[in-house]
Amino acid sequence: MRKPVAASLSRPAMLCAALALGTSCKSVEPHTTPSDGTTAPPEVSTPAPVTETATEAEAEAEAPTRRGNSLWLNARVGDRVAYSFSANRKAMGRQAPGTVPSAAVAGVVTLEVSAVELPWVWVTLYFTEDGGAPSRQPLLARPLVMPVRADESRALDAPREGRQSTEQLAAAGRQWEAKRYLNDKRSFDGPLENRLYAATPGPLYLTNGLLDASTTLSGFGTGGGSQLTLVEARQGQEGGTGLPPTLARPWGPGTWFDVQVGEDTPSVMRTCQAAERGFLLRQQVTPSKTGAACPDFTQADAVPLEEAVLARIWESLDVRQWPPSPTGLAPARSETVAVGAHRVPALRFETPQPQMNNVQVQVYAADPWDEALSGLAHEARFQPLLDQLMPAGGGMQLLDWGVWVPGGTP
């Protein structure tokens, strides 16, 4: 299974013109006009800003002392942040076969607390078009649920790289003291990354205080970039708990899935995912036949939640339609495949490889949002269920999946 793209996206809309993001800068005006010939979404309808009162601000400052060191421990049902987003990728010059095509996407991404049962805070993530309709991008088309642990089980830190400066910003109905991080990797064919974070996260604790982020690509024959810009931040009412949703459509945290890879001596790897205090945790382990499905995340890779959101937006450019139609493959054949105890409606693509007397077989879920995939992590829904050479063998195959977080059983 293809490893998800690492979250490396970055910085603000305020410098968008200076960063030369091309059409992606339109989301600050407020939004992108796609550069690939698609119809642009309607102009962004910015939610009504919510201004904190002095009482709310004082309570916010006192809360960490009263109830713990993490703002997640003070989460309320209805806590919400929303960002306008855009991303575009432009193929530069003459393109070699297999080069990724130009693409663009724009809209609004919202993260909202839907339930609180400490130590768990349940967050719903959803992407919409500027006018409020669900995103038309297959990867972004449905709301995703994510349980986040509010207390501390391990040290978490993601040093912010680049040249630092301080400034003030008016956004989402209030003034912010902010720190900017500008990380220019263009001399090494890397991106120009720009981040703006609130000095005091306050209601932005969901995204570690992010106010704005943009990335400008450089080198390797690809141009474009991506960005997030804060448009709404609000606090919920004190005392609400909500009802924890099931993980029928999880983003990833709270779930696991097993993949068999290899040829002569196939091995099985389990991907376990979690979230804690604004970070996504992900690790691969050898499945154990006894004990908990995912007993330990002390060695897991940690990615800030806002970076994971940016990465998912960027990855959506690679999935512009469903079912997929890989170049050179014959029309798909419908079938039902067994994955563990699950029976999944699927599409089977076969590509003969006469020079090796083999056939490449790829099987995808017919509908990545089908109820048959309930509990499967978002990333695995859009990967092949099976990708192998026949009769040579090898490749990969999804073997099973499940939910490990308490109360999250679909």
Side-chain angles (χ1 to χ4, degrees), residues 92-261:
M92 311 295 286
R94 181 177 295 178
Q95 298 301 300
T99 302
V100 292
S102 297
V105 65
V108 176
V109 56
T110 301
L111 296 91
E112 184 166 4
V113 175
S114 52
V116 178
E117 282 194 358
L118 293 177
W120 297 102
V121 176
W122 297 78
V123 177
T124 300
L125 169 80
Y126 52 97
F127 298 85
T128 63
E129 304 288 347
D130 289 341
S135 175
R136 292 167 289 179
Q137 207 80 357
L139 210 67
L140 311 178
R142 300 289 183 89
L144 300 171
V145 173
M146 174 177 55
V148 182
R149 190 171 180 131
D151 58 352
E152 182 173 348
S153 69
R154 54 167 284 186
L156 291 171
D157 187 27
R160 292 164 184 166
E161 300 178 347
R163 181 165 51 86
Q164 300 180 26
S165 60
T166 58
E167 59 188 75
Q168 291 187 333
L169 176 73
R174 61 177 283 181
Q175 292 287 329
W176 305 88
E177 296 288 338
K179 182 172 287 189
R180 187 179 298 279
Y181 300 83
L182 188 63
N183 192 16
D184 192 347
K185 304 176 184 177
R186 289 175 295 181
S187 60
F188 304 99
D189 282 332
L192 172 62
E193 298 182 333
N194 198 334
R195 296 286 185 275
L196 189 66
Y197 282 92
T200 302
L204 304 183
Y205 72 92
L206 290 165
T207 48
N208 296 298
L210 183 72
L211 292 165
D212 196 88
S214 69
T215 299
T216 305
L217 299 184
S218 175
F220 302 107
T222 303
S226 56
Q227 67 184 76
L228 290 175
T229 302
L230 181 69
V231 294
E232 183 183 10
R234 79 179 188 196
Q235 291 182 292
Q237 296 296 316
E238 191 108 46
T241 58
L243 182 65
T246 65
L247 286 176
R249 289 197 298 265
W251 187 5
T255 70
W256 59 269
F257 60 88
D258 291 344
V259 174
Q260 178 176 285
V261 296

Side-chain angles (χ1 to χ4, degrees), residues 377-400:
H378 185 256
E379 67 176 81
R381 291 170 182 252
F382 292 87
Q383 303 289 350
L385 304 176
L386 180 144
D387 187 354
Q388 293 182 336
L389 284 177
M390 302 293 188
M396 61 73 59
Q397 181 177 2
L398 180 67
L399 296 182
D400 203 359

